[in-house]
Amino acid sequence: MKTSRTFRAVRAHWAIVLVVAIIGLLGGTGRAALATPRYSSTASVLISVADPDEGAQQNYQSTVATTISESMNTYSSLATSGVVLNEVDSRLGLGQSVTQLAGRIHPSVPLSTSIVEVTATGDDADSAARLANTTVAVLGDEIVGSGMKQGSGSPALKTIIIQDGADAVVETGPNPPTGGLVGLLVGLVVGVIIALVVESAQRRGTDDSQTRRGAHHQEVVELS
């Protein structure tokens, strides 16, 4: 019943639906084309076992490797912590809060690896790459400095930057075709709603007119 009513409204007022859909298409495309582009950059750091001190236990390698494997999610979360981001802000001189920087950073751990990938966003490719690179550098320092220690007190962990953010920059700004498609869909929905409202108003007007004619006819019959 509801579907047939919608179909009748669209068929009767297809011009309204078409015009609103075209407006949505043009609006979505234009908005995406004029929007300021954004960029993302991904840098990666590998966490591994540091060279053992002289006289280290035989199971040193396996013990530290197991600890690293079990701590990867912790290392990833550390990338957006105040300890790391305050130092990142200090090195880059951004003047941004931890919350603001955390909103620009997305750390992740590829499945079954000892790698933390940090994807950072910025208004230009250079700022995105610098943020990603500085974050993994500070993260690596923090992991080594606060991590396991050997008997001599030297770090049991070491980190290696395996991907420079400048080598993995992509533009993430709005895409005009995608924006146009979204605008078209929104326009179609709005157009259908308008068509239903117009159809309902016309139907109500017709019903009121028929009611008045019926009442008038009844008065004439009664008078006669």
Side-chain angles (χ1 to χ4, degrees):
M1 179 93 175
K2 202 167 184 180
T3 303
S4 61
R5 179 189 166 205
T6 302
F7 179 75
R8 284 197 307 271
V10 171
R11 186 173 59 180
H13 307 288
W14 61 268
I16 293 176
V17 178
L18 179 61
V19 169
V20 176
I22 291 175
I23 292 174
L25 172 64
L26 296 177
T29 302
R31 181 179 179 184
L34 296 175
T36 302
R38 297 281 292 173
Y39 295 85
S40 69
S41 170
T42 301
S44 303
V45 59
L46 171 69
I47 298 93
S48 62
V49 182
D51 295 335
D53 289 342
E54 187 175 341
Q57 296 181 353
Q58 292 184 347
N59 65 345
Y60 166 78
Q61 293 277 352
S62 61
T63 300
V64 178
T66 299
T67 300
I68 292 173
S69 178
E70 294 174 347
S71 303
M72 289 308 300
N73 288 334
T74 300
Y75 297 151
S76 177
S77 299
L78 189 61
T80 53
S81 69
V83 173
V84 169
L85 295 184
N86 281 326
E87 178 62 22
V88 169
D89 182 71
S90 177
R91 291 189 187 185
L92 294 177
L94 298 175
Q96 293 187 331
S97 68
V98 170
T99 301
Q100 289 173 317
L101 283 176
R104 297 177 55 192
I105 292 172
H106 176 69
S108 60
V109 178
L111 187 64
S112 302
T113 69
S114 298
I115 298 170
V116 177
E117 293 182 344
V118 173
T119 299
T121 60
D123 293 332
D124 57 73
D126 183 60
S127 64
R130 284 190 290 111
L131 181 56
N133 286 337
T134 305
T135 302
V136 295
V138 174
L139 175 63
D141 292 344
E142 182 63 26
I143 289 172
V144 171
S146 62
M148 293 178 65
K149 298 293 187 290
Q150 301 188 50
S152 64
S154 61
L157 307 176
K158 67 178 181 180
T159 58
I160 305 169
I161 306 297
I162 60 173
Q163 178 169 286
D164 189 296
D167 297 329
V169 178
V170 296
E171 186 175 337
T172 60
N175 181 272
T178 301
L181 179 59
V182 172
L184 176 63
L185 293 175
V186 172
L188 284 172
V189 172
V190 173
V192 170
I193 292 174
I194 293 175
L196 285 169
V197 171
V198 172
E199 178 72 9
S200 178
Q202 289 181 345
R203 184 180 295 275
R204 191 162 49 245
T206 300
D207 291 343
D208 290 343
S209 177
Q210 289 177 346
T211 300
R212 285 194 297 271
R213 283 201 300 269
H216 177 70
H217 177 71
Q218 184 175 2
E219 290 177 359
V220 171
V221 171
E222 288 176 352
L223 289 174
S224 60

